[in-house]
């Protein structure tokens, strides 16, 4: 039997534990659990060969499956701790896939469910840029931000004075919506980041939900940006 080629394997990680916002991955946003929006976006992508939904919780898995997610396993307990990284989760999903399917994975796309405003268009555009630039990794960012006339405060003798300097530099920041890495880079470097990294610029309304304030902001914006 011919080995299956997986050009882009999507991975949606959804851990049950969250100290700052308990059960955040299944909290309601515009009438649906938060995980729905990443599952839906990945299912509409033209370039994702397949997407694995990885969780340590049977309740989350059941909800994900009701939305059509491919969730073939429950993560082992050691992958449910606070100190576990996305790299650990990605490697587990890849190893499971390679052990159970005769497949060659070329690239992985990490889609965190805490970024509900990311669309299938964003995923596909990121993959196009990744392929065009031939970089080992890509990350989505928001910006640009300008640091013009930043005011710095100086404290001396219990008094505060200010002085300014002009900085015309342009800045971007990771927004945690999309990360892409070649399998070879991930396997060799153990990272989804690289010195030469492609980027996909997204609108500033993108939210990475990690606190109750983030969720409130997302609910305010949801009518404009979610179906």
């Amino acid at each position: 039997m011919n080995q299956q080629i997986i050009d882009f394997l999507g991975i949606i990680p959804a851990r049950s534990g969250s100290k700052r916002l308990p059960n955040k991955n299944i909290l309601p946003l515009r009438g649906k659990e938060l995980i729905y929006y990443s599952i839906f976006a990945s299912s509409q992508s033209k370039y994702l060969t397949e997407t694995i939904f990885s969780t340590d919780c049977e309740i989350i898995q059941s909800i994900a499956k009701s939305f059509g997610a491919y969730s073939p396993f429950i993560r082992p307990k050691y992958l449910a701790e606070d100190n576990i990284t996305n790299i650990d989760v990605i490697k587990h999903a890849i190893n499971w896939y390679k052990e159970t399917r005769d497949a060659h994975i070329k690239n992985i796309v990490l889609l965190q469910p805490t970024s509900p405003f990311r669309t299938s268009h964003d995923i596909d555009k990121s993959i196009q840029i990744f392929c065009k630039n031939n970089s080992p990794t890509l990350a989505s960012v928001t910006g640009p931000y300008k640091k013009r006339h930043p005011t710095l405060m100086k404290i001396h003798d219990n008094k505060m004075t200010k002085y300014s300097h002009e900085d015309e530099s342009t800045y971007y920041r990771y927004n945690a919506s999309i990360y892409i890495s070649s399998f070879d880079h991930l396997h060799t470097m153990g990272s989804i980041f690289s010195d030469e990294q492609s980027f996909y610029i997204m609108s500033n309304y993108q939210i990475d939900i990690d606190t109750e304030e983030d969720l409130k902001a997302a609910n305010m914006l949801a009518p404009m940006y979610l179906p």
Side-chain angles (χ1 to χ4, degrees):
M1 186 171 67
N2 293 331
Q3 187 179 51
Q4 184 183 8
I5 302 299
I6 306 296
D7 288 320
F8 290 93
L9 177 66
I11 299 175
I12 301 175
R15 188 168 66 93
S16 58
S18 176
K19 290 183 177 179
R20 288 201 285 181
L21 188 60
N23 298 314
K24 66 179 179 182
N25 287 313
I26 54 174
L27 289 177
L29 179 64
R30 196 166 170 78
K32 293 185 174 67
E33 288 85 352
L34 189 58
I35 57 175
Y36 165 80
Y37 299 100
S38 292
I39 294 169
F40 178 77
S42 66
S43 72
Q44 299 298 302
S45 167
K46 296 186 295 184
Y47 300 123
L48 289 177
T49 310
E50 191 163 45
T51 299
I52 290 181
F53 186 92
S54 173
T55 184
D56 61 320
C57 174
E58 291 183 357
I59 294 175
I60 295 177
Q61 183 188 55
S62 177
I63 295 170
K65 285 184 174 181
S66 74
F67 294 139
Y70 175 53
S71 183
F73 56 76
I74 293 291
R75 275 189 237 159
K77 290 184 178 180
Y78 76 89
L79 286 176
E81 303 298 328
D82 290 338
N83 62 340
I84 293 302
T85 67
N86 280 324
I87 295 298
D88 298 318
V89 174
I90 291 169
K91 287 182 176 180
H92 174 264
I94 289 174
N95 289 336
W96 181 92
Y97 202 92
K98 291 173 73 68
E99 289 174 2
T100 57
R101 306 268 288 270
D102 185 19
H104 172 63
I105 300 170
K106 297 174 68 175
N107 306 287
I108 66 95
V109 181
L110 177 65
L111 304 170
Q112 299 183 102
T114 49
S115 298
F117 296 157
R118 174 226 309 109
T119 66
S120 60
H121 171 79
D122 294 319
I123 297 171
D124 290 344
K125 190 65 178 178
S126 296
I127 291 174
Q128 289 174 347
I129 294 171
F130 175 80
C131 293
K132 180 180 179 180
N133 290 351
N134 200 31
S135 299
T137 66
L138 176 144
S140 59
V141 298
T142 53
Y145 303 101
K146 286 288 187 177
K147 292 275 187 175
R148 290 183 181 174
H149 306 295
T151 300
L152 304 177
M153 308 307 293
K154 184 177 180 179
I155 297 176
H156 182 68
D157 291 335
N158 291 323
K159 294 181 180 180
M160 187 165 63
T161 58
K162 66 181 180 179
Y163 64 95
S164 298
H165 70 276
E166 189 169 335
D167 183 357
E168 292 290 339
S169 301
T170 300
Y171 298 85
Y172 295 83
R173 64 175 179 83
Y174 293 121
N175 65 14
S177 290
I178 302 168
Y179 295 101
I180 304 176
S181 174
S182 71
F183 173 81
D184 290 341
H185 176 81
L186 179 69
H187 179 72
T188 303
M189 304 303 295
S191 175
I192 55 175
F193 300 98
S194 58
D195 292 335
E196 295 184 4
Q197 188 169 35
S198 295
F199 59 90
Y200 171 60
I201 301 174
M202 302 177 73
S203 300
N204 290 333
Y205 66 76
Q206 294 294 327
I207 289 180
D208 178 25
I209 297 175
D210 200 37
T211 65
E212 187 174 352
E213 289 73 21
D214 295 333
L215 184 62
K216 288 179 180 178
N219 272 294
M220 291 177 63
L221 292 169
M224 293 183 286
Y225 299 115
L226 293 179

